[in-house]
Amino acid sequence: MKTDRADILSLLRNSGDYVSGQQLCDRFGVTRTAVWKAMNQLKEDGYLIESVPHKGYRLVESPEDILSPGEITSRLTTEWAGKKLCYYDVTGSTNNDAKRLGEEGMPHGTVVVADIQTAGKGRRGRGWQTLPGTALSFTLLLRPSFPADKASMLTLVMALSAAQAIERVSAVAAGIKWPNDIVLNGKKICGMLTEMTMTPEMDEIQYLVIGAGLNVNNASPEEFAEDIRDKATSLKIETGRQINRAALLNEILGCFEHNYDIFLKTLDLSALQGEYQRRLLGVGGQVRVLDPAGEYTGTSEGIDEQGRLTVLKENGEQVQVYAGEVSVRGLYGYV
Ligand code: ATP
């Protein structure tokens, strides 16, 4: 949860000017020594803070990329997403943490962030690899009041939001591999997992968590484990630029808030379909549908208003593929 350091950093960043020690003491009800200690900690973290007698403190420069509660909250410009933040340097899985917080009654919009996940989860029991100091791993806890059969669309809403946010912070075109992988130049930079818990009566959603893992600042492909090296990449590898993960998180949550509002109006993707489809990879191309009930190939025709992928089989049959248990691949590669 929030620390003095986080609060002080937020105030300095948002003020953009000198803030006196006395103002900080009054605002947060702490002593001068506590302020001084917090400033020293921030300097140790790499922030350049100027202190001028009779004027106070001013944030001059921030580290290029640092993930901490202070960095995240001080960059947050959202209305509700992430206002309650739970940060871990190391955790097993942010989705599991968010589900625990869901059980404990934490509100809609709570966000769990971790620098390192030791047991990150993908779909169908698969793993998600997180490399320390480079990845953005977070989970958003939602308490929607719409019917459970609408929930699978949210994973597409989050995929669209992540793609839009990546484009904003790094000015590259992000592709979406249905339903929710973000792909740059044919390689995956982001995976997502949505999990839902029903009320004990099983008639309503109690809470829902959407987790995302992004490869942000990995410097070279060799940093990924061998088994994913041919299909994983990072924003830094593709753009050559170091990205501030807290700023990226803020953009993703901001885009999600916006898209979620649009989704709530119709409870389908009709108003978001165009934006999603514009980024959807492989439309018009041959795909392999890895359905647990049986694999088949066909032509991808894009998504419908429910977020299902329409695939035209070779025998002329048109299939609507539900996200959830199914993966889709290009005929000759990952995309
Ligand atoms: P896919 O089509 O990639 O299998 P999926 O949606 O079924 O997509 P996810 O649940 O998003 O899979 O992610 C799990 C898979 O992603 C793993 O099986 C692994 O192949 C791959 N993976 C794991 N960690 C990373 C990573 N850091 N970057 C890119 N890919 C990863």
Side-chain angles (χ1 to χ4, degrees), residues 113-255:
V113 183
D115 182 36
I116 304 173
Q117 283 188 113
T118 54
K121 298 194 292 182
R123 298 193 305 158
R124 290 177 288 154
R126 302 203 264 174
W128 182 260
Q129 301 175 16
T130 311
L131 297 170
T134 60
L136 174 60
S137 308
F138 74 93
T139 299
L140 174 63
L141 170 71
L142 299 174
R143 295 189 181 278
S145 51
F146 51 71
D149 63 346
K150 309 286 179 201
S152 68
M153 284 182 264
L154 285 187
T155 197
L156 282 82
V157 175
M158 183 57 95
L160 172 62
S161 309
Q164 291 168 329
I166 286 166
E167 288 163 6
R168 284 191 194 181
V169 300
S170 62
V172 287
I176 300 176
K177 185 173 88 66
W178 185 87
N180 57 16
D181 288 349
I182 310 290
V183 171
L184 289 186
N185 300 326
K187 291 186 168 188
K188 180 164 169 174
I189 59 160
C190 172
M192 285 174 197
L193 178 66
T194 299
E195 297 180 88
M196 183 168 70
T197 301
M198 301 294 286
T199 55
E201 299 75 30
M202 297 298 283
D203 56 350
E204 279 174 20
I205 301 174
Q206 186 178 345
Y207 57 83
L208 183 144
V209 303
I210 310 176
L214 287 95
N215 307 322
V216 183
N217 286 327
N218 314 65
S220 79
E222 285 66 44
E223 289 181 22
F224 295 105
E226 226 162 295
D227 60 321
I228 60 165
R229 210 169 282 166
D230 61 331
K231 71 169 184 180
T233 191
S234 75
L235 267 174
K236 184 167 182 179
I237 294 171
E238 298 306 321
T239 65
R241 281 178 45 212
Q242 182 96 348
I243 306 284
N244 182 294
R245 286 171 289 165
L248 176 58
L249 175 65
N250 178 47
E251 287 293 342
I252 297 174
L253 296 177
C255 289

Side-chain angles (χ1 to χ4, degrees), residues 51-97:
S51 54
V52 175
H54 310 300
K55 276 185 153 180
Y57 300 95
R58 189 171 71 94
L59 178 64
V60 180
E61 213 178 287
S62 301
E64 223 171 2
D65 178 38
I66 176 173
L67 204 60
S68 67
E71 183 69 11
I72 295 166
T73 51
S74 66
R75 286 188 183 268
L76 211 60
T77 53
T78 54
E79 276 170 34
W80 51 268
K83 290 290 169 189
K84 282 262 182 269
L85 177 77
C86 188
Y87 175 84
Y88 299 101
D89 283 329
V90 184
T91 193
S93 139
T94 55
N95 265 30
N96 287 352
D97 294 325

